[in-house]
């Protein structure tokens, strides 16, 4: 290989890594302004589409897609280093290696998507209109299909799905119909269509050939604007007055037994704080995930009596994240849960974890809440409190408070849109579906990083998909109230202790996505793949 050729390859690889890194910036406000996120992502994806569809071979398309994906995940998930090194006591070199290894694995998904699109629907500058459209469809459908595969394989890790970067763009209007995977397909189609415009033929009529796919993509994106104006749900009951508590307990102190009393006292004081003048008493007080860093039956009953006293004093319901230990059918059961109670709940019920309002986490975090087979060697290197938790039921009854029905989810469960949908449906005995969604989390593992804003962006998209408001109560941030259109109504600054009083209007009614989940988007992606591959084969034979 000659020196100029080697230099050209290195410059190309560096350019793809840089494009992937810029792509990572579009998943949270901060480095880029809100208005620039959606458009910047399409531009960066267009680079990925261009270099893979025009690659000399499927093998080179794979390598180019992998470089782009690696750049995206290595920067976009840099905050995992903090949890491993600062709080997990893993050495810096091993923590860096772990993040890079995860990024290398995740990059296999866009790499394979690009290679398959190049294999079955390659694109050339002088291609016929049908060939251009089939290549654009194939690339978009392959990318979206592998985004879905990333969300389900090995329990799934859909963080940085390309649909999330579009939450402030017109494509978000498709969320109530197609969900995040349908948005990913439309985003990828727009990017591939843009890529097809980059190398038009000198022949005058070729401009219209390349513009065909771009025109369709523009129409799809523009259709999101009127779709976003549709009211997919209607107000239900009276607004609920809620207090969201952000304790801001440093993660290095959270599981220190010597500081347990101090942590409980801070949360108790924030929950009991009198409302500010003009602010009504809360009907519901929500505290974050694992407010209690020990199982509920390990606490002195007097502690539970103090919490019940606060609920009685404020005439409110308290919902808190707590690991629960109980016995079911003669065996011990351990769950990461949310427990709700009021001033009339007996202390013995709190000690036993036997309250009428309870949610048990269903989608558990690998290595954090269960250890996958064969990975105990890695967990043994860390100093992170781990659990071997049991999974909750698929549908659990929402908490009934003040005429509203609140469905909880814990930690990164809100990444998995289909998992939230059963709670929106009426129960087996006709119980009402959820009118408000609540996520309780502890992102203290990641400091004040992009992880907090990325998670808020994910929650915003869940509200658009379901046409339900969502409240987020977190240990260190971001604690916020999001309305049913995905707009942040109020939030607390990260890394500050405080309370956020909000009035939340519950909503009722099911969006098409809430009724059918990912089925519609997957059918669309499948049909696009069949049409694109079939058209590509006919074009090659012609």
């Amino acid at each position: 290989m000659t020196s100029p050729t080697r230099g050209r390859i290195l410059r190309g690889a560096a350019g793809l890594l840089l494009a992937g890194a810029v792509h990572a910036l579009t998943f949270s406000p901060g480095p880029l302004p809100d208005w620039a996120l959606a458009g910047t992502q399409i531009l960066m994806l267009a680079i990925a589409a261009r270099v893979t569809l025009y690659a000399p071979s499927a093998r080179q398309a794979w390598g180019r897609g992998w470089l782009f994906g690696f750049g995206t995940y290595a920067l976009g998930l840099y905050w995992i280093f903090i949890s491993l090194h600062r709080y997990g006591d893993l050495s810096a070199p091993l923590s860096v290696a772990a993040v890079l290894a995860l990024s290398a694995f995740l990059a296999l998904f866009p790499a394979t998507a690009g290679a398959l699109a190049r294999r079955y629907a390659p694109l050339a500058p002088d291609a016929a209109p049908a060939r251009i459209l089939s290549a654009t469809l194939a690339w978009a459908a392959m990318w979206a299909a592998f985004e879905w595969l990333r969300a389900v394989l090995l329990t799934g890790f859909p963080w940085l799905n390309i649909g999330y970067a579009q939450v402030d763009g017109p494509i978000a209007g498709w969320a109530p119909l197609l969900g995040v995977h349908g948005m990913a397909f439309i985003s990828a189609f727009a990017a591939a269509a843009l890529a097809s415009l980059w190398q038009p033929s000198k022949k005058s009529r070729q401009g219209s050939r390349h513009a065909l796919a771009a025109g369709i993509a523009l129409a799809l994106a523009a259709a999101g604007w009127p779709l976003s104006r549709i009211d997919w749900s209607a107000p239900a009951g009276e607004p609920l007055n809620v207090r969201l508590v952000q304790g801001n307990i440093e993660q290095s102190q959270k599981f220190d037994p010597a500081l347990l009393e101090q942590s409980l006292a801070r949360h108790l004081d924030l929950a009991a704080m009198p409302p500010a003048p003009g602010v009504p008493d809360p009907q519901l007080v929500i505290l974050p995930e694992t407010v209690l860093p020990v199982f509920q039956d390990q606490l002195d009953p007097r502690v539970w009596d103090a919490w019940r006293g606060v609920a009685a004093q404020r005439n409110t319901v308290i919902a808190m994240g707590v690991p629960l230990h109980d016995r079911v059918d003669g065996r011990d059961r351990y769950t990461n849960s949310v427990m709700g109670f009021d001033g009339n709940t007996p202390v013995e019920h709190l000690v036993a974890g036997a309250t009428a309002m309870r949610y048990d986490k269903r989608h558990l975090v690998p290595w954090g809440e269960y250890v996958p087979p064969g990975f105990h060697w890695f967990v043994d290197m860390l100093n992170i409190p781990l659990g071997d938790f049991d999974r909750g039921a698929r549908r659990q009854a929402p908490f009934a408070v003040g005429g509203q029905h609140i469905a909880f989810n814990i930690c990164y469960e809100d990444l998995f849109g289909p998992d939230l949908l059963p709670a929106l449906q009426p129960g087996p005995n006709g119980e009402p579906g959820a009118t408000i969604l609540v996520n309780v989390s502890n992102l203290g593992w990641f400091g004040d990083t992009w992880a907090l804003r990325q998670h808020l962006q994910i929650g915003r998209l869940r509200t658009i998909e379901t046409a339900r408001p969502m409240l987020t109560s977190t240990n260190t941030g971001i604690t916020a109230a999001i309305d049913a259109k995905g707009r942040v109504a109020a939030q607390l600054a990260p890394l500050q202790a405080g309370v956020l009083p909000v009035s939340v209007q519950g909503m009722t009614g099911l969006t098409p996505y809430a009724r059918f989940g990912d089925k519609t988007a997957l059918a669309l992606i499948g049909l696009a793949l069949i049409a694109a591959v079939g058209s590509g084969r006919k074009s090659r034979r012609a």
Side-chain angles (χ1 to χ4, degrees), residues 2 56 115 174-175 204 213 313 446 512:
T2 64
W174 287 95
S204 60
Q313 179 187 8
F446 311 114

Side-chain angles (χ1 to χ4, degrees), residues 227-243:
L227 288 173
S228 68
R229 302 180 67 86
I230 296 175
D231 292 324
W232 297 99
S233 59
E238 297 296 322
L240 186 70
N241 297 317
V242 182
R243 170 180 294 179

